[in-house]
Amino acid sequence: MVWRFKKINDSWKFNLQETPDAKNTVFDDSKWQIVNVPHDWSVKGQLSPTLASCQGYLPGGIAWYRKSINIPQSKSGKKVYLYFEGVYNRSEVFINGHSLGKRPNGYISFAYDATEFVKFGGENTISVRVDHSQSADSRWYTGSGIYRNVWVVYANPVHIAQWGVYAYPEVKKEQVL
């Protein structure tokens, strides 16, 4: 089994507003802010006593992140995963306009198999919608956005899945320990 990881934290495009067309490959994000992840948009917001204390009295909202990456032709035949260590919260991840999946919370890392939709030897657009519009959703300050590292992961077609090895021992009455 061979896993190859490449961190893709630099130069994400960011927009703090609902932008449904941002999932599409062809989309003008040229006026969007450029950020590096980990990124928390709430921490730069205006404090307000009308906002929930669990958010540190800072605003949430809905935002989009976008990034283009080249997947080398030499990776053809490999599985390609996008691995997010943390997104707060209610995220949906797209590649080249195709939804890879949704996460209902922001406290756990996750990975999606993007292989089916990847253009090997070309540019691929990753889009991430983050919905932190429900303000009272935690007991402590969570921040908002892609708050941990993001990786593209290459693996052989046959490999052990992430967190995929388990043992379930059984003890029978006739066995002596």
Side-chain angles (χ1 to χ4, degrees):
M1 173 183 75
V2 177
W3 290 87
R4 299 281 186 236
F5 299 85
K6 180 181 178 191
K7 194 183 295 186
I8 56 170
N9 286 357
D10 297 335
S11 302
W12 285 77
K13 300 276 187 105
F14 171 75
N15 187 31
L16 182 54
Q17 69 181 38
E18 177 64 283
T19 316
D21 290 339
K23 68 184 174 190
N24 300 324
T25 302
V26 178
F27 178 81
D28 183 10
D29 59 12
S30 62
K31 293 188 167 88
W32 285 21
Q33 180 183 2
I34 296 174
V35 300
N36 295 328
V37 299
H39 177 252
D40 173 5
W41 79 71
S42 288
V43 76
K44 295 181 181 179
Q46 182 65 44
L47 290 167
S48 173
T50 64
L51 298 171
S53 61
C54 62
Q55 281 187 230
Y57 301 104
L58 292 167
I62 297 175
W64 283 81
Y65 293 85
R66 288 173 49 90
K67 180 174 183 65
S68 290
I69 61 170
N70 183 285
I71 305 291
Q73 185 65 42
S74 63
K75 300 299 184 186
S76 182
K78 300 282 187 190
K79 299 291 277 181
V80 180
Y81 296 91
L82 297 178
Y83 175 55
F84 291 80
E85 290 183 8
V87 180
Y88 203 85
N89 78 0
R90 288 181 298 283
S91 63
E92 183 170 9
V93 176
F94 301 84
I95 189 159
N96 299 326
H98 300 277
S99 177
L100 297 178
K102 296 179 180 183
R103 294 296 300 179
N105 61 50
Y107 295 121
I108 191 165
S109 62
F110 57 91
Y112 294 121
D113 183 350
T115 311
E116 178 182 356
F117 306 111
V118 165
K119 297 177 203 164
F120 292 96
E123 289 297 309
N124 292 269
T125 302
I126 303 167
S127 304
V128 181
R129 181 183 186 270
V130 182
D131 180 356
H132 194 188
S133 60
Q134 297 176 18
S135 59
D137 61 359
S138 181
R139 290 186 212 150
W140 50 81
Y141 179 74
T142 60
S144 301
I146 301 175
Y147 69 91
R148 295 225 171 128
N149 295 322
V150 181
W151 305 83
V152 61
V153 179
Y154 303 105
N156 289 329
V158 176
H159 61 275
I160 296 172
Q162 181 182 26
W163 305 301
V165 176
Y166 301 91
Y168 300 100
E170 291 183 27
V171 176
K172 309 230 178 188
K173 288 183 182 181
E174 58 274 357
Q175 291 177 317
V176 179
L177 297 178

